Each structure stands twice: as structure tokens, then as C-alpha cells.
Amino acid sequence: MSAAERLAEIRGRIAAAALQANRDPASITLVAVSKTFPPEAVMPLIDAGQAVFGENRVQEAAGKWPILLARHTELRLHLIGPLQTNKVRDALALFHAVHSLDRERLAAAIAKEVAAGTRCPDLFVQVNTGEEPQKAGVPPREAVAFVRRCRDVHGLTVAGLMCIPPLEDAPGPHFALLRKIGEEAGTGALSMGMSGDFETAIAFGATHVRIGSALFGARG
Ligand SMILES: *Cc1c(COP(=O)(O)O)cnc(C)c1O
């Protein structure tokens, strides 16, 4: 299958899952996760009309995307991996959305750049729904308060929440928990669902699905 055919297949599955859940397929954004793949692998998807891409490392993205972004002004780049405070400036120069806001110091660092005139990206608070010690994200019981502090203390608008369920768990309860926290926090968007579980995530209300291997093939 060509990249364009894989994209069409995934778009079809997203639309079918949306309709199954009585949702408008247009309310779901496909974030094509291109991490580890070179520009030559990305370009056929851009040519096929894909405009939103995800990367998990600032440094990798900085080497790969500036030329593509300059050439295709419709592109939107999303950071889906951890962000160190010393990389915030580089990240905001490149990314239109950050899915990994997970601590006060990072909120403060982003707010400082925005105050200095940098465009504020769409922000998603990452929630560690499985409370895994090795995983990033705010603990579920602290998430609503953290969203409020982002707004009240740092002046940041939080667009939504993001989670990565534990590998060994059924994802549904994690997606349901993220949605419940989002309702309580008053954030609209839900970044949840990857290649293996995006249809389940859509059933639970995902607005952003982050799909890598199903589009690009297995990562080396
Ligand atoms: C790599 C990655 C994805 C994509 O995973 P696939 O299983 O390849 O679709 C989604 N979200 C995050 C945070 C990732 O790091």
C-alpha cells in the first residue's frame, strides 16, 4: 500500500468510528505521528492532503520540519512527547500544539515566552491515567486543579487533555477517565487513541487521535 492509500484507509476508519458513535467525523483531528521517519516518508502524506503531524522530540523535529513548514504553510505540527523547560523556546518556534504540559515549571516557562510575544500553542495537559511511575503526566486527582492553575496563575488557556494508557490495560477505562476529568476541568479537546486503539478512543470522545505506525509502518 502507498502512503496515500494508508492515509485513505485510516481516514475511512476514523469516519466509520465517528459515525458509529453518532459523531461528526470532522470533529476528529488525525495527528500523523512521523517520529523517526525522514522527510521523504512524510512528503507523500502532505501531497495526499494530510496537514497535521506529530513529533515526540524537539531536536528531531527541528532538524526535519523547518523546510517543510516553510514550503507548506497549511501544516500544523504537534509536540506529543516530553518537553524540557530549556527547550521551550525552540519548541514554541516550531510547534502549533503541545500535548505534554504536565508540570508547573513548564507552564511558567511557556507563559514567559508568550508574555515576550511568542504565539501560544494549543495546550493539552497530559494526565497519567494509569498512575505509572515511569510515565509523564499529572496524576488524575490533581489534573483539574492543575488546569485551573495554568489559567489563573499563568494566564494559559488549556485546550484539552491527553493520555497514554498503560500498555497492559484495556484502554477504554482510561479514555473514560480522561473524558470525565475534561468535563470537570471544562477543557474541550481530548487527545487519546493511537494506532492500536483509536476507534475505541473515538467511541469515548477523542477529538485528536495520534497515529504513527498504522500510517508509516513499524518504527525501526
Ligand atoms: C509514538 C506515539 C504515538 C503513535 O503511536 P503508534 O502506536 O505508532 O500509532 C502516539 N502518541 C505518542 C505520545 C507517541 O509517542
Side-chain angles (χ1 to χ4, degrees):
M1 257 203 271
S2 69
E5 285 167 336
R6 279 198 297 268
L7 178 63
E9 197 231 291
I10 295 296
R11 286 196 174 288
R13 286 172 59 189
I14 290 171
L19 295 176
Q20 184 91 33
N22 280 317
R23 300 184 54 204
D24 179 1
S27 67
I28 297 154
T29 299
L30 167 59
V31 181
V33 177
S34 50
K35 63 187 185 195
T36 77
F37 289 95
E40 302 77 62
V42 173
M43 285 185 297
L45 284 188
I46 298 174
D47 292 340
Q50 177 63 25
V52 183
F53 289 86
E55 291 281 343
N56 69 335
R57 289 163 172 273
V58 177
Q59 210 139 330
E60 182 187 341
K64 188 154 118 191
W65 280 94
I67 291 174
L68 293 169
L69 290 169
R71 212 185 282 160
H72 303 274
T73 52
E74 77 281 10
L75 294 183
R76 293 292 175 268
L77 201 55
H78 290 220
L79 179 63
I80 60 171
L83 177 54
Q84 294 166 261
T85 47
N86 65 1
K87 298 244 174 74
V88 164
R89 185 167 300 174
D90 292 346
L92 296 203
L94 204 53
F95 289 97
H96 302 86
V98 172
H99 292 231
S100 50
L101 175 54
D102 64 352
R103 59 201 191 279
E104 195 89 27
R105 279 190 58 221
L106 182 54
I110 292 172
K112 192 173 155 208
E113 292 300 319
V114 172
T118 304
R119 159 184 56 102
C120 191
D122 292 337
L123 295 172
F124 293 74
V125 166
Q126 183 172 352
V127 181
N128 188 357
T129 56
E131 307 200 47
E132 297 171 280
Q134 80 285 7
K135 200 168 267 176
V138 180
R141 67 190 165 283
E142 294 170 20
V144 173
F146 180 67
V147 168
R148 294 206 177 114
R149 278 202 306 281
C150 286
R151 183 188 61 206
D152 299 340
V153 179
H154 303 288
L156 297 172
T157 300
V158 175
L161 305 178
M162 181 271 236
C163 76
I164 310 169
L167 267 179
E168 66 278 11
D169 282 10
H174 294 273
F175 297 151
L177 174 59
L178 197 71
R179 178 166 74 180
K180 180 167 159 287
I181 295 169
E183 283 163 358
E184 216 175 309
T187 47
L190 293 170
S191 168
M192 56 190 199
M194 320 201 319
S195 290
D197 57 16
F198 68 89
E199 283 141 322
T200 305
I202 288 168
F204 281 96
T207 62
H208 294 67
V209 291
R210 310 178 308 267
I211 300 181
S213 47
L215 279 173
F216 291 97
R219 288 179 292 274

